């Protein structure tokens, strides 16, 4: 395994200077900041990421005002009281991307968020207090209890709202495979554990967040034309 100092040096070289690299890095929210997010915020971001999966992000973003109108600003309380026939009607509304299977995840994930909030005070408390050194455990929870939040969907939603997490972007995956840290399927338990152990070790060496470390690894490999989805 490479030392963090070597990975960091390569990223600095590829970005031209340490100053330039630092400009590209971003820190996650603190625990205090995370707990101020509403349950509705989480439902909205989960829904956004579910719909962005398999679609051009620009298409989803251009229709997002419509999504907010149709789904009452993603109010968990209101959506949980919505009859199934109303959901079907909303799924065919021209203001959104009409895909019933994905629309159904809204109420499914609203129910998950509500159940977690009942046990932990709020969904944000649950997320904020989950340790980043076992972030793959949180990914697994979202995959098991949520709807269509497996793969990179759940992790990208967490990153978007400020939870500290590394991401298995194409550049990060490329690095992990090149250095024999993973050698099988990306989402297997073995690969995920190996990736978590790798980032835990980097964190011990650097004191940086998982988010910063993930970006530094990504900026040190590939062609470095990192898109918005990889920088989130």
């Amino acid at each position: 395994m490479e030392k963090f100092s070597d990975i960091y040096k390569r990223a600095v070289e590829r970005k031209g200077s340490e100053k330039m690299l630092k400009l590209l890095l971003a820190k996650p929210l603190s625990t205090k900041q995370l707990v101020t997010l509403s349950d509705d915020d989480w439902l909205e971001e989960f829904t956004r990421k579910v719909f962005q999966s398999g679609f051009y992000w620009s298409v989803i973003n251009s229709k997002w005002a419509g999504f907010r109108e149709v789904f009452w600003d993603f109010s968990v309380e209101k959506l949980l009281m919505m009859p199934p026939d109303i959901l079907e009607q909303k799924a065919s509304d021209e203001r959104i991307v009409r895909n019933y299977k994905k629309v159904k995840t809204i109420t499914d994930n609203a129910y998950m968020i509500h159940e977690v909030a009942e046990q932990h005070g709020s969904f944000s408390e649950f997320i904020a207090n989950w340790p980043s050194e076992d972030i793959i455990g949180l990914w697994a929870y979202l995959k098991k209890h949520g709807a269509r939040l497996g793969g990179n969907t759940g992790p990208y939603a967490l990153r978007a709202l400020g939870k500290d997490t590394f991401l298995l972007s194409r550049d990060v995956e490329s690095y992990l495979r090149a250095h024999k840290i993973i050698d099988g399927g990306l989402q297997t338990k073995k690969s995920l554990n190996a990736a978590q152990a790798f980032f835990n070790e980097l964190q011990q060496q650097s004191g940086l967040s998982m988010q910063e470390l993930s970006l530094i690894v990504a900026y040190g490999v590939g062609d470095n034309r990192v898109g918005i989805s990889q920088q989130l």
Side-chain angles (χ1 to χ4, degrees), residues 81-136:
M81 295 188 293
M82 181 174 58
D85 59 320
I86 299 299
L87 181 66
E88 291 182 15
Q89 292 176 25
K90 288 182 176 294
S92 62
D93 195 300
E94 293 183 354
R95 288 172 291 178
I96 70 169
V97 173
R98 289 170 288 180
N99 183 314
Y100 179 74
K101 289 183 178 180
K102 290 194 174 187
V103 166
K104 191 176 182 300
T105 68
I106 298 174
T107 51
D108 290 341
N109 287 326
Y111 182 76
M112 173 194 68
I113 289 169
H114 174 73
E115 288 287 292
V116 170
E118 289 266 289
Q119 299 174 39
H120 298 272
S122 75
F123 192 76
S124 288
E125 288 274 1
F126 171 73
I127 296 293
N129 291 314
W130 195 289
S132 290
E133 59 266 27
D134 179 37
I135 198 65
I136 62 169

Side-chain angles (χ1 to χ4, degrees), residues 34 126-142 154-155 158-159 162-168 192-193 195-197 199-200 210-211:
L34 276 174
F126 171 73
I127 296 293
N129 291 314
W130 195 289
S132 290
E133 59 266 27
D134 179 37
I135 198 65
I136 62 169
L138 181 54
W139 296 0
Y141 185 94
L142 294 177
L158 293 173
R159 171 71 68 83
K163 175 62 179 176
D164 190 21
T165 181
F166 62 87
L167 293 177
L168 294 176
L192 292 174
N193 283 333
Q196 180 77 71
F199 279 104
N200 286 351
M210 294 290 178
Q211 178 169 324

Side-chain angles (χ1 to χ4, degrees), residues 23-39:
L23 287 173
L24 294 170
L25 301 180
K27 295 181 181 293
L29 296 184
S30 67
T31 299
K32 288 184 178 180
Q33 290 172 318
L34 276 174
V35 297
T36 65
L37 297 176
S38 70
D39 289 351

